[in-house]
Amino acid sequence: MLFEKIKSPGLAHNSYLIGDDGKAAVIDPRRDVEVYLDKSSAEGFTIDYVLETHRNEDYLIGSKEIARKTGAEIWRADDYLDYEYGQPMEEGEEIEIGRLLLEGLHTPGHTPGSFSYVLYGYEGEPWMVFTGDVLFAGDVGRVDFLGEEKLEETAGDLYDSIYDKILPLGDEVILCPAHGAGSVCASAIADREWTTIGIEKNLNPHLQYESREEFIEEVGQMLEYPPYFNRMEEWNLTGAPFLSEKKRPEALSPDEFADIQDEGAVVIDTRTEVSFAGAHIPGSLSIWKDNVPSFAGWFVDTDSPILLVSDEGYPEEEIKHLYRTGFDNIKGYLSGGMISWHMQARSSETIETIRVKELCEIMKGPKDCRILDVRSEDEVEEEGEIEDAINIHITQLPDHYEEIPENVKVYVFCGSGLRAMTAASLLKREGFENIGVTLGGLTGWRSSTCPRGETRSSKERGLEIADSLWLG
Amino acid sequence: MLFEKIKSPGLAHNSYLIGDDGKAAVIDPRRDVEVYLDKSSAEGFTIDYVLETHRNEDYLIGSKEIARKTGAEIWRADDYLDYEYGQPMEEGEEIEIGRLLLEGLHTPGHTPGSFSYVLYGYEGEPWMVFTGDVLFAGDVGRVDFLGEEKLEETAGDLYDSIYDKILPLGDEVILCPAHGAGSVCASAIADREWTTIGIEKNLNPHLQYESREEFIEEVGQMLEYPPYFNRMEEWNLTGAPFLSEKKRPEALSPDEFADIQDEGAVVIDTRTEVSFAGAHIPGSLSIWKDNVPSFAGWFVDTDSPILLVSDEGYPEEEIKHLYRTGFDNIKGYLSGGMISWHMQARSSETIETIRVKELCEIMKGPKDCRILDVRSEDEVEEEGEIEDAINIHITQLPDHYEEIPENVKVYVFCGSGLRAMTAASLLKREGFENIGVTLGGLTGWRSSTCPRGETRSSKERGLEIADSLWLG
């Protein structure tokens, strides 16, 4: 038997490879499919089936590329959409994987045509359930894709899917969702690497309500919708262009790099926030390597030509992340990094940085500066707000540039300093010049001896108003 | 949070690495500990605790080597034994791993001082239980280490441990045993990579009995006891010699190799059965690479000087397997393999092979040959016996050489041909000359068009007598 959970960090995406007696299936493969082909080949399996739980919005699915390499049958969900590949899954459809059996369960809510798959073991009893974006560890799928006016209906569908189809499988059944902690497909997935239906019944906050109505009320919320989701929705119906046919992003000399930037390419600098502060190419956007999957989709158009600056010889991880979310127009990367740039006597810029203790001292005196806090509303609510700060979540910043003062110094602030540098680079690109970045962010603040107010734990969330952190 | 199941193939051993907030613990580490150090370091964790579930008999534990590298505290079980390291675990002892908690449960039966560990998640509820060799997927631990006269007591203890301590944790709790399918620590662990208490309650055949008495009757059985267990029992009290201090096995020229063999070293040839048949060094023992963990312990003394012949440049996997089971006296390996041996004009030998169809034809005529079937009693019972075969399980062969006829050709037979070649090499070393090996074994037989009798499935095991396969 073959069973592997394959995780894609950044996207917090889980896919699953299941095999028995030489036959294998993949559930919700990501776009770069070598991992499935390599793992199945190494164990002597051929992939015969690809099963999708729904039309995904947050990453590109690799079903067609697997089918092309292996001849696998694709079973897809959400048949109401105009798919250009695969055959539609149906309620009760059974797929044999050797002595194992996968059965389709129609579980609408996250999308109208979402499917979950029950895996029956050798003895014929439910062993695992692959719930896609219906039920996660500590959370449930978002239900806002059809718009605010449909929230009651979609949240109700999700409730029925969970309570009528998933939970009755039994407390002992292992739950295999399509996402782990950090995904944009739900608001607060728990850091619980393995879970069961019984554990979720006990611990999942959304399974503790007293009625279907209360579930609908709490779960039926509009969440943020990154612009790149549009590209995902389109390509996940047609099938994304095959990665195996793509040209490799080029190693570019500083001159070549500068020429492509001059023609309008977006420069994404994936080095740490302090490297970016020290010296960066004018006009470039700071998105730390591990944050590329979370933020490129907010600040870069999916069709834009892209250039990369990194500390790696070949920025492989960044390129993978971009491809997984449909940024296919990667022109290349700066060969030799910033060292080669400067050795060609090219210009670069810096961004002022400040440590939390220094900011604390400054704020004690006459305040001729402002703090721009780019943490999310949830973070501010849970971890405490900064007195007198301008609060704009980083993803909303491009719609709120007019709220940023230009006549005083603005210190950008986040949880650690990484997002603050992204925000600062956006502001600089917009022409703001009097910008500094707070290194360490709230975590640093808490570790320092600066006086601060009480913060409330996430347990108390929703029960009382957050106290302010105070300065001086 | 950090959670990793680390598997050691061959031994079918599972160990677990758990971490939170920079603190980490390993449960039942194997002797070569780099995997735990590397994985924890890569994620920014230091190992603070090593927890043992019991004094192991089937592999060497790496607790002391981890402690030496990290300063970790060792908590060990089986305090009635004369341990030379660690501190004794006690019922209800709690170990904090960041926001996670591990609690010791005394669960005797497999050994008198076995412990299981309950892992409580962030919310304080039982999330997983590490049961060591008490409860597996589809099986329970063997209870025969204290001898036949204690079986009733040890099986009763095991029953109480499972029913009073493990099962009450809840159907939804994830079960993390120390072994998977193929281990010598139980008779028939199921191929179920992840399981829960509820799944075991439904499917584990040993949890279906109607009474404690029936459990004791069925589970209280004497099993095979490989001689290398003695070395494990000794070194798992003192701590095995540190692998990091060991000299690396040497690459040996054919001359050097032959000299060491002449001085009495055992030659283990880990190539496939057909390579061994084609040409092997006189006196060598055929144990296919992946079978080294299962069979070296039966046929090689743990103190013997060992030489290796393989198709690899450096037979790393074989060396790891040998070290994991206490074969520390590995002198080296034949550099350049059999090619270099022959290019020095050295002598080698062959073993006759026969395909199942050829054997079938031979057996139709006047039978001037015998079949030696080296499969286990369980295999013969489940899969069907060969008419007129001499049945001796391969592990028992060295005690039964006198039953092998010398005046007729003997064709050795197993499931595939691999164990048959091991048996043939043992017989050749003992001076038997008229030996052939059946390639394909029972699996080949079943795939062929040879007439054969009904075999019964494992489901019916114990309910009726096995039919014979017939020949001709």
Side-chain angles (χ1 to χ4, degrees):
Chain A
M1 194 193 299
L2 174 66
F3 175 79
E4 289 245 18
K5 169 154 79 171
I6 291 146
K7 302 199 279 184
S8 307
L11 290 171
H13 166 245
N14 301 326
S15 49
Y16 300 90
L17 176 61
I18 304 152
D20 192 54
D21 274 351
K23 288 198 163 309
V26 184
I27 297 177
D28 287 338
R30 66 186 182 209
R31 187 184 188 189
D32 46 314
V33 299
E34 296 75 18
V35 63
Y36 312 107
L37 303 174
D38 290 349
K39 281 183 189 277
S40 54
S41 301
E43 303 283 335
F45 287 85
T46 301
I47 298 173
D48 300 282
Y49 305 102
V50 179
L51 283 78
E52 300 186 0
T53 57
H54 63 293
R55 192 274 302 273
N56 282 277
E57 313 76 14
D58 61 315
Y59 71 95
L60 290 171
I61 202 153
S63 309
K64 264 181 81 174
E65 190 133 9
I66 290 182
R68 184 174 180 240
K69 299 265 184 190
T70 65
E73 274 180 17
I74 302 173
W75 291 84
R76 55 170 172 72
D78 284 315
D79 193 39
Y80 70 101
L81 296 167
D82 290 327
Y83 268 91
E84 294 182 12
Y85 68 86
Q87 55 191 312
M89 177 50 60
E90 281 174 25
E91 178 78 12
E93 182 76 44
E94 294 184 347
I95 293 180
E96 282 178 21
I97 316 290
R99 293 159 294 169
L100 302 172
L101 186 75
L102 280 165
E103 184 193 2
L105 287 189
H106 181 215
T107 48
H110 176 65
T111 66
S114 283
F115 270 83
S116 296
Y117 298 102
V118 184
L119 177 66
Y120 294 87
Y122 293 158
E123 296 82 359
E125 303 212 10
W127 175 24
M128 299 186 171
V129 58
F130 302 89
T131 51
D133 285 11
V134 170
L135 179 60
F136 303 109
D139 208 341
V140 296
R142 59 191 289 181
V143 294
D144 60 335
F145 290 142
L146 301 187
E148 194 149 13
E149 67 283 4
K150 292 274 196 179
L151 280 179
E152 193 178 328
E153 186 185 319
T154 53
D157 284 347
L158 193 75
Y159 180 92
D160 297 338
S161 294
I162 294 172
Y163 279 88
D164 297 345
K165 299 206 172 168
I166 308 287
L167 301 188
L169 292 170
D171 286 358
E172 71 279 10
V173 173
I174 295 167
L175 185 75
C176 297
H179 288 287
S183 161
V184 289
C185 290
S187 50
I189 298 181
D191 184 7
R192 188 155 55 234
E193 186 63 42
W194 292 94
T195 190
T196 59
I197 288 180
I199 289 176
E200 292 313 308
K201 274 165 68 178
N202 290 339
L203 300 182
N204 193 313
H206 296 299
L207 302 186
Q208 311 307 320
Y209 304 129
E210 293 195 349
S211 66
R212 187 174 186 272
E213 288 63 40
E214 195 184 346
F215 179 95
I216 291 172
E217 178 70 23
E218 294 291 335
V219 170
Q221 306 284 342
M222 295 304 290
L223 298 176
E224 286 190 331
Y225 187 91
Y228 84 100
F229 275 19
N230 292 321
R231 161 63 55 87
M232 305 299 98
E233 293 195 347
E234 178 197 336
W235 279 5
N236 279 336
L237 290 182
T238 58
F242 294 128
L243 278 188
S244 50
E245 289 180 2
K246 284 197 71 65
K247 204 165 149 275
R248 196 178 169 91
E250 275 181 77
L252 301 168
S253 70
D255 285 348
E256 292 168 330
F257 191 96
D259 286 347
I260 299 174
Q261 187 184 13
D262 288 346
E263 288 161 16
V266 174
V267 178
I268 304 178
D269 187 323
T270 66
R271 297 172 302 147
T272 61
E273 83 288 24
V274 290
S275 297
F276 189 86
H280 59 266
I281 294 174
S284 59
L285 183 60
S286 167
I287 307 183
W288 179 57
K289 184 176 167 171
D290 289 5
N291 281 346
V292 169
S294 312
F295 294 119
W298 284 102
F299 307 124
V300 183
D301 189 86
T302 42
D303 287 323
S304 282
I306 291 171
L307 291 166
L308 293 168
V309 177
S310 86
D311 279 330
E312 308 290 328
Y314 177 69
E316 190 177 353
E317 286 304 310
E318 292 90 323
I319 290 169
K320 258 191 203 166
H321 284 323
L322 289 167
Y323 283 159
R324 282 178 192 160
T325 44
F327 293 87
D328 272 29
N329 198 4
I330 307 173
K331 294 296 181 190
Y333 57 96
L334 180 60
S335 177
M338 289 304 291
I339 298 171
S340 71
W341 185 263
H342 289 129
M343 285 169 73
Q344 294 248 342
R346 290 197 160 267
S347 70
S348 68
E349 295 178 357
T350 60
I351 284 190
E352 184 193 336
T353 58
I354 191 165
R355 285 80 199 146
V356 284
K357 283 189 187 169
E358 293 162 359
L359 183 64
C360 194
E361 287 305 313
I362 289 170
M363 300 304 279
K364 280 181 189 163
K367 293 176 192 169
D368 54 352
C369 62
R370 292 295 300 275
I371 293 183
L372 167 63
D373 185 346
V374 297
R375 293 175 301 145
S376 71
E377 223 172 284
D378 279 358
E379 284 175 278
V380 172
E381 203 177 291
E382 282 183 26
E383 295 161 6
E385 74 184 317
I386 309 287
E387 205 176 69
D388 286 337
I390 306 163
N391 288 288
I392 303 172
H393 185 205
I394 185 169
T395 60
Q396 304 308 310
L397 190 58
D399 296 332
H400 296 270
Y401 289 134
E402 74 287 354
E403 295 171 29
I404 314 298
E406 300 199 55
N407 53 342
V408 292
K409 185 81 171 186
V410 173
Y411 290 109
V412 195
F413 187 95
C414 66
S416 66
L418 288 163
R419 283 175 295 173
M421 192 58 79
T422 301
S425 70
L426 284 166
L427 291 169
K428 260 191 88 176
R429 242 179 22 175
E430 286 302 307
F432 291 88
E433 286 179 1
N434 213 356
I435 303 292
V437 163
T438 318
L439 300 180
L442 189 75
T443 318
W445 203 306
R446 286 193 167 155
S447 309
S448 83
T449 53
C450 295
R452 58 188 187 278
E454 292 297 302
T455 59
R456 67 206 168 91
S457 77
S458 56
K459 273 193 191 159
E460 299 154 11
R461 184 179 165 192
L463 298 178
E464 45 175 286
I465 305 301
D467 294 316
S468 295
L469 299 185
W470 74 81
L471 298 161
Chain B
M1 193 193 299
L2 174 66
F3 175 79
E4 289 245 18
K5 168 154 80 171
I6 291 146
K7 302 199 279 184
S8 307
L11 291 171
H13 167 245
N14 301 326
S15 50
Y16 300 90
L17 176 61
I18 304 152
D20 191 53
D21 273 352
K23 289 198 163 308
V26 184
I27 297 177
D28 287 338
R30 67 186 183 209
R31 187 183 188 189
D32 45 314
V33 299
E34 296 75 19
V35 62
Y36 312 107
L37 303 173
D38 291 348
K39 281 182 189 279
S40 54
S41 301
E43 302 283 334
F45 288 85
T46 301
I47 299 173
D48 300 282
Y49 304 102
V50 179
L51 284 78
E52 300 186 0
T53 56
H54 62 293
R55 192 273 303 272
N56 282 277
E57 313 77 13
D58 61 315
Y59 71 94
L60 290 171
I61 202 154
S63 308
K64 264 181 82 174
E65 190 132 10
I66 290 182
R68 185 174 181 239
K69 299 266 184 188
T70 65
E73 275 180 16
I74 302 173
W75 290 83
R76 55 171 172 71
D78 284 314
D79 193 40
Y80 70 101
L81 296 167
D82 290 328
Y83 268 91
E84 294 183 12
Y85 67 86
Q87 56 191 311
M89 177 50 59
E90 280 174 26
E91 178 78 12
E93 182 75 45
E94 294 184 347
I95 293 181
E96 283 177 21
I97 316 291
R99 293 159 293 169
L100 302 172
L101 186 75
L102 281 165
E103 184 193 2
L105 287 189
H106 181 215
T107 48
H110 176 66
T111 65
S114 283
F115 270 83
S116 296
Y117 298 103
V118 185
L119 177 66
Y120 294 87
Y122 293 158
E123 296 81 359
E125 303 212 11
W127 175 25
M128 298 185 171
V129 58
F130 302 90
T131 51
D133 285 11
V134 170
L135 179 60
F136 303 109
D139 209 341
V140 297
R142 60 191 287 181
V143 294
D144 60 335
F145 290 142
L146 301 188
E148 193 149 12
E149 66 284 3
K150 291 273 196 180
L151 280 179
E152 193 178 328
E153 186 185 320
T154 53
D157 284 348
L158 193 75
Y159 180 92
D160 297 338
S161 294
I162 293 172
Y163 279 88
D164 296 346
K165 298 205 172 168
I166 308 286
L167 301 188
L169 292 169
D171 286 358
E172 71 280 10
V173 172
I174 295 167
L175 185 75
C176 297
H179 289 287
S183 161
V184 290
C185 290
S187 51
I189 298 181
D191 184 7
R192 188 156 54 233
E193 186 63 42
W194 293 93
T195 190
T196 59
I197 288 181
I199 289 176
E200 292 313 308
K201 274 165 68 179
N202 290 339
L203 300 182
N204 192 313
H206 296 300
L207 302 186
Q208 311 307 320
Y209 304 128
E210 293 195 348
S211 66
R212 187 173 186 274
E213 288 63 40
E214 196 185 345
F215 179 95
I216 291 171
E217 177 69 22
E218 294 291 335
V219 170
Q221 306 285 342
M222 295 303 291
L223 298 176
E224 286 190 330
Y225 187 90
Y228 83 101
F229 276 19
N230 292 321
R231 162 63 54 87
M232 305 299 97
E233 293 195 347
E234 177 197 337
W235 279 6
N236 278 335
L237 290 182
T238 57
F242 294 128
L243 277 189
S244 50
E245 289 180 2
K246 285 197 70 65
K247 204 165 148 275
R248 196 178 170 91
E250 275 182 76
L252 301 168
S253 70
D255 286 348
E256 292 168 330
F257 190 96
D259 286 348
I260 299 174
Q261 187 184 11
D262 288 346
E263 288 161 15
V266 174
V267 178
I268 304 178
D269 187 323
T270 65
R271 298 172 302 147
T272 60
E273 83 288 24
V274 290
S275 297
F276 190 86
H280 59 266
I281 294 173
S284 59
L285 183 60
S286 167
I287 306 182
W288 179 57
K289 184 176 168 171
D290 289 6
N291 281 345
V292 168
S294 313
F295 294 119
W298 284 102
F299 307 124
V300 182
D301 189 86
T302 42
D303 288 323
S304 282
I306 291 171
L307 291 167
L308 292 168
V309 177
S310 86
D311 279 330
E312 309 290 328
Y314 177 69
E316 190 176 353
E317 286 305 310
E318 292 90 322
I319 290 168
K320 259 191 202 165
H321 284 322
L322 289 167
Y323 282 159
R324 282 178 192 161
T325 44
F327 292 88
D328 272 27
N329 198 4
I330 307 173
K331 294 295 180 191
Y333 57 96
L334 180 61
S335 177
M338 289 304 291
I339 298 171
S340 71
W341 184 263
H342 289 128
M343 285 170 74
Q344 294 247 342
R346 290 198 160 266
S347 69
S348 69
E349 295 178 357
T350 60
I351 284 190
E352 185 193 336
T353 58
I354 191 165
R355 285 78 199 150
V356 283
K357 283 190 188 169
E358 293 162 359
L359 183 63
C360 194
E361 287 304 312
I362 290 171
M363 299 304 279
K364 280 182 190 165
K367 293 175 192 170
D368 54 352
C369 62
R370 292 295 300 275
I371 293 182
L372 167 63
D373 185 347
V374 297
R375 292 175 301 145
S376 72
E377 223 172 284
D378 279 358
E379 285 175 277
V380 172
E381 202 177 292
E382 282 183 27
E383 295 161 6
E385 74 184 317
I386 309 286
E387 205 177 70
D388 286 337
I390 305 163
N391 289 287
I392 303 172
H393 185 205
I394 185 168
T395 60
Q396 305 307 310
L397 190 57
D399 295 333
H400 296 269
Y401 289 134
E402 73 286 355
E403 295 171 29
I404 314 298
E406 299 200 55
N407 53 341
V408 292
K409 185 80 169 187
V410 173
Y411 290 110
V412 196
F413 187 95
C414 67
S416 66
L418 289 162
R419 283 174 295 172
M421 192 58 79
T422 301
S425 70
L426 285 166
L427 291 169
K428 260 191 87 175
R429 242 178 25 175
E430 287 302 307
F432 291 88
E433 286 179 1
N434 213 356
I435 302 291
V437 164
T438 317
L439 301 180
L442 189 75
T443 317
W445 203 305
R446 286 194 166 156
S447 308
S448 83
T449 53
C450 295
R452 57 188 188 278
E454 291 297 302
T455 60
R456 67 208 168 91
S457 78
S458 56
K459 274 193 189 159
E460 300 154 11
R461 184 179 164 192
L463 298 178
E464 45 176 285
I465 305 302
D467 294 315
S468 295
L469 300 185
W470 74 81
L471 298 161

